[in-house]
Amino acid sequence: MKITRLIKAAALALVGLAFAFGSITRTEAQTIITSWTNTFPNNGNTGMYPQNSWTYWYSLYQDTSAAPGDYNLAGTNDANMDYTGDTNDSGSMYVYAPWDLITNGSSDQNVFNISFGNSQQMLIINVTNISWYIHVAPNSVTNADGNFGTLSAGFFDTAYGREDTVYLTIPGSATNGWVLMSETNIAAFSSAASAAASSEKITNPDVATAIGLAFDQNSYGSSPQYPTNALVYWIDNITVQTSAAPPPPPPPPSVTIAPAVQGLNLFTGSGTALYNRENIQASQGEYTWVGASGPVTYSFTITNYPVATNDAVQTQIFLAPTPGTENDPDWNEANVVFIDMESSITYGGGANMYFRYKTNEPNGNTMIYGPGTLAGIGTNTAIGTWSVTFVNNTNVTMTAPGGASTNFSIPDSTGATAALFASGVNIYFGDQAGNAGGANDHIVVSDFKVTGTANDFDDNFVADDGVLNQGIWKTNAAFPNCIQLVGPGVPYWVDWTTPAPNYVLDTTDDLVSGTWTAVTNYAAFTVGTNIAQLVSTNDLQSTSNAFFAVIQHNYSLQILWPGETAAPGTPTGKTGTPTPVSIASGGVTFTVNAVDSKFNVVSSINDNISFSSSDSAATLPSNGPLSGGTGQFTITFATAGSQTVTATDAQNAGIAAGNSSPVTVTP
């Protein structure tokens, strides 16, 4: 079909072309920094005050606090302690370590982290120095060597892993005043980068990043044990330095286009976070196999599985009796059967299915991945029907596409396990990513079927015409946009890489003289590290030609009074003269548009707008959002004369404020 060939060509060529259509203003979701300091300013506060830029994290402080296990407790600054002596505008990090409250002879750790803030990250491999000043409270008890043990300043990576460096000794002289501690071991930073890469599930440690620092003091391995007494100390003037120049701006987005396959499209997540369960859940909860009069089968059919060989993707069925509202019952619930189909490197494009379960283990999965894993089966293709049949309460058969099967039994000599699943069993069905490659994947399922229970159903997702059957399912996903029902008249998926601030998918049927219009029938959403958007046949301007480009709309705000009309393509973007306004007549409604350089409305902008006016006594509109790039707002003037209104994007400081034409205000 001609349209397919042309669309594929556009996918390869039009990203570069897109930059000819408008200027670029780039704001990054994350910023790579090359140095960082924190002097803990107190902003005029006196005495101790909360400072949420750092927290106690997985530490002794929580273990002995009034709420044990309440991690991520906010740290506190002390405005009366400062390395430079400036207690008017600066302070320091106050660290409390109640070692005296732990059980005698046991060990623990005191971990506290501080973020770089403002979505800033740092390449760990480039770090050359971490330094800080420390002051220990007078009369603190040293160890036998006359010091206060050791302290490491490591990294907190983007997967929330802690990567320690060398543990440096806190000298006894720190009770007399501020002492400089400095980590300059390049090998330690290199090792931390490798550890962070493993945590972040990437292969190249050169691009492993930290979102902040993680300090750790612990009593593991010390002989005799130390610390054993409560410690209080202050940290100030933290500095991190690197050898790197500021990185170049990221490349423009690259675009791919693929046919959209009808059925239940399950995406594996949004962003780089892994292991998010993206499920649909049965609307009512009685699908138990226990005590059924015959075999009970749960099955699903996969029709599209574009998962690369090394991508870790899991497709799951959870069977949980009377679950809560969570989307991860395999962790939260005490009793779960877990049908776990995983993409297989061994089979290269195929998959393995495992039968796992747990009993009486809320908030854990030790049993699931230990004695609760009872059987597995593999095949060289994931496409086809996968099923699990409970022949009776304990005997089970798993069948893979192609007919291969395996039989096994659930250990239950007393019937106690069956009793846990005898009623209220609910069904979850979905997927999740297990590594960085899998985070950008999705699969397509055409059918889910249950037979032999009191509430059997057979949901043909293709026949659902793009709408989830609410009589059977509800969405219960970490990111609901990851659940997409694709129906007829939706021929293509377009996705593009990030960062892509203010980029919009546009289409035309003529590269030479055609008009580019935004694709709007389906909203764009984030999947993995990309942005994806469905294309409807209603988005296409022609039945024979279609070209797509991801274009960054560098928009501005336009204000139109009654009497003014938008005029895209003209020097001012509007025609007409504002109609005079009478104070006595009350409020006047005006229009705010987000427009590109040619004054075309940018329909993708839905930001909140705030207002000011030359009439300081006027009643201004409340802040409110644009919808599809436009909005209506009302102002009530109180002062006669020539007046103006200014609109400001309250969500994006990089967008210049828009000023209205003067309007005449009469009494």
Side-chain angles (χ1 to χ4, degrees):
M1 183 176 178
K2 186 176 182 183
I3 190 170
T4 303
R5 177 178 59 81
L6 289 173
I7 287 177
K8 288 183 177 179
L12 295 175
L14 285 185
V15 173
L17 180 63
F19 287 90
F21 283 79
S23 60
I24 299 172
T25 300
R26 188 181 300 279
T27 56
E28 308 303 338
Q30 294 87 31
T31 301
I32 300 297
I33 58 175
T34 57
S35 65
W36 178 81
T37 60
N38 194 326
T39 60
F40 302 96
N42 63 34
N43 301 316
N45 286 276
T46 58
M48 293 187 184
Y49 66 99
Q51 173 56 274
N52 292 324
S53 66
W54 73 281
T55 59
Y56 288 98
W57 177 76
Y58 209 81
S59 73
L60 163 75
Y61 184 55
Q62 287 88 341
D63 298 341
T64 58
S65 71
D70 185 12
Y71 298 116
N72 291 314
L73 297 178
T76 303
N77 277 15
D78 189 343
N80 290 319
M81 290 291 291
D82 181 72
Y83 162 66
T84 65
D86 177 10
T87 57
N88 290 320
D89 294 305
S90 192
S92 62
M93 177 196 297
Y94 172 86
V95 180
Y96 170 56
W99 299 101
D100 57 321
L101 297 181
I102 65 174
T103 303
N104 186 36
S106 64
S107 298
D108 212 321
Q109 61 184 349
N110 200 43
V111 179
F112 44 96
N113 66 67
I114 182 165
S115 73
F116 297 137
N118 299 321
S119 299
Q120 296 182 131
Q121 300 179 5
M122 184 176 290
L123 293 173
I124 298 173
I125 198 71
N126 291 333
V127 175
T128 58
N129 177 65
I130 302 174
S131 64
W132 65 97
Y133 286 86
I134 187 168
H135 182 13
V136 180
N139 303 318
S140 297
V141 178
T142 66
N143 61 15
D145 296 324
N147 61 61
F148 295 101
T150 59
L151 179 66
S152 166
F155 302 96
F156 208 52
D157 65 38
T158 58
Y160 304 105
R162 192 186 93 223
E163 320 305 343
D164 296 323
T165 57
V166 176
Y167 283 77
L168 304 178
T169 299
I170 307 172
S173 60
T175 56
N176 300 325
W178 293 94
V179 175
L180 176 66
M181 299 182 69
S182 185
E183 176 59 78
T184 59
N185 190 325
I186 299 299
F189 299 140
S190 177
S191 176
S194 297
S198 177
S199 173
E200 294 168 344
K201 293 182 171 55
I202 56 178
T203 58
N204 185 3
D206 290 354
V207 295
T209 53
I211 57 176
L213 299 184
F215 289 84
D216 175 42
Q217 183 182 37
N218 65 69
S219 58
Y220 300 118
S222 59
S223 182
Q225 185 185 17
Y226 183 85
T228 56
N229 297 82
L231 276 179
V232 169
Y233 51 87
W234 298 264
I235 289 176
D236 200 2
N237 284 40
I238 303 174
T239 300
V240 185
Q241 297 172 321
T242 72
S243 60
S254 59
V255 179
T256 58
I257 298 178
V261 179
Q262 291 187 49
L264 176 65
N265 284 240
L266 295 172
F267 290 83
T268 51
S270 180
T272 58
L274 304 177
Y275 314 116
N276 286 307
R277 284 70 157 175
E278 312 299 349
N279 304 310
I280 54 176
Q281 180 184 351
S283 298
Q284 66 91 21
E286 191 50 80
Y287 297 99
T288 186
W289 69 93
V290 176
S293 59
V296 172
T297 298
Y298 310 89
S299 66
F300 59 90
T301 301
I302 294 178
T303 53
N304 191 257
Y305 199 77
V307 176
T309 300
N310 293 316
D311 291 0
V313 173
Q314 172 183 297
T315 305
Q316 69 257 345
I317 299 175
F318 301 135
L319 302 174
T322 60
T325 59
E326 74 278 352
N327 56 56
D328 54 350
D330 54 316
W331 175 265
N332 279 277
E333 296 301 319
N335 309 297
V336 173
V337 166
F338 175 14
I339 315 302
D340 176 10
M341 194 206 88
E342 302 178 3
S343 55
S344 171
I345 296 174
T346 303
Y347 287 100
N352 302 312
M353 177 182 275
Y354 301 94
F355 185 97
R356 312 180 193 272
Y357 81 109
K358 69 172 181 176
T359 56
N360 302 308
E361 190 190 4
N363 301 313
N365 57 17
T366 301
M367 182 176 178
I368 277 181
Y369 292 103
T373 297
L374 299 182
I377 188 171
T379 177
N380 60 4
T381 177
I383 295 176
T385 298
W386 299 80
S387 66
V388 174
T389 298
F390 290 82
V391 180
N392 52 40
N393 287 1
T394 57
N395 294 334
V396 185
T397 299
M398 286 197 305
T399 305
S405 64
T406 185
N407 304 308
F408 55 94
S409 296
I410 302 172
D412 191 20
S413 59
T414 65
T417 298
L420 295 174
F421 294 90
S423 64
V425 171
N426 202 273
I427 300 172
Y428 297 70
F429 177 61
D431 66 358
Q432 61 179 281
N435 66 8
N440 287 312
D441 285 325
H442 85 283
I443 66 173
V444 184
V445 182
S446 63
D447 187 83
F448 192 101
K449 186 176 183 180
V450 181
T451 61
T453 73
N455 295 288
D456 292 351
F457 66 84
D458 184 357
D459 190 1
N460 184 327
F461 296 119
V462 176
D464 288 340
D465 289 337
V467 180
L468 187 67
N469 188 329
Q470 300 294 324
I472 298 176
W473 303 105
K474 59 185 176 182
T475 297
N476 189 353
F479 298 98
N481 278 332
C482 290
I483 309 300
Q484 296 282 332
L485 265 290
V486 176
V490 187
Y492 300 105
W493 280 108
V494 179
D495 65 63
W496 56 96
T497 56
T498 57
N502 300 329
Y503 279 84
V504 175
L505 180 62
D506 285 1
T507 184
T508 185
D509 62 354
D510 187 341
L511 283 177
V512 178
S513 58
T515 299
W516 290 87
T517 60
V519 174
T520 59
N521 277 273
Y522 291 89
F525 61 97
T526 302
V527 288
T529 57
N530 293 343
I531 297 174
Q533 190 168 1
L534 276 168
V535 178
S536 164
T537 53
N538 294 328
D539 290 309
L540 305 178
Q541 300 177 19
S542 168
T543 58
S544 57
N545 296 331
F547 300 91
F548 293 96
V550 174
I551 299 174
Q552 188 180 47
H553 289 265
N554 182 20
Y555 65 93
S556 60
L557 297 177
Q558 176 193 59
I559 296 175
L560 299 175
W561 292 113
E564 293 182 314
T565 303
T570 63
T572 63
K574 56 187 175 183
T575 61
T577 302
T579 302
V581 176
S582 167
I583 296 175
S585 64
V588 57
T589 299
F590 59 94
T591 299
V592 178
N593 293 325
V595 295
D596 61 19
S597 59
K598 299 295 185 182
F599 297 100
N600 297 294
V601 172
V602 182
S603 60
S604 64
I605 305 303
N606 300 303
D607 290 7
N608 274 302
I609 306 300
S610 62
F611 299 93
S612 60
S613 174
S614 59
D615 181 358
S616 60
T619 301
L620 298 172
S622 299
N623 288 11
L626 300 180
S627 176
T630 189
Q632 304 288 317
F633 303 91
T634 300
I635 184 173
T636 301
F637 288 109
T639 307
S642 178
Q643 305 291 358
T644 60
V645 168
T646 299
T648 302
D649 191 313
Q651 295 178 219
N652 190 337
I655 301 303
N659 297 310
S660 73
S661 304
V663 61
T664 299
V665 178
T666 62

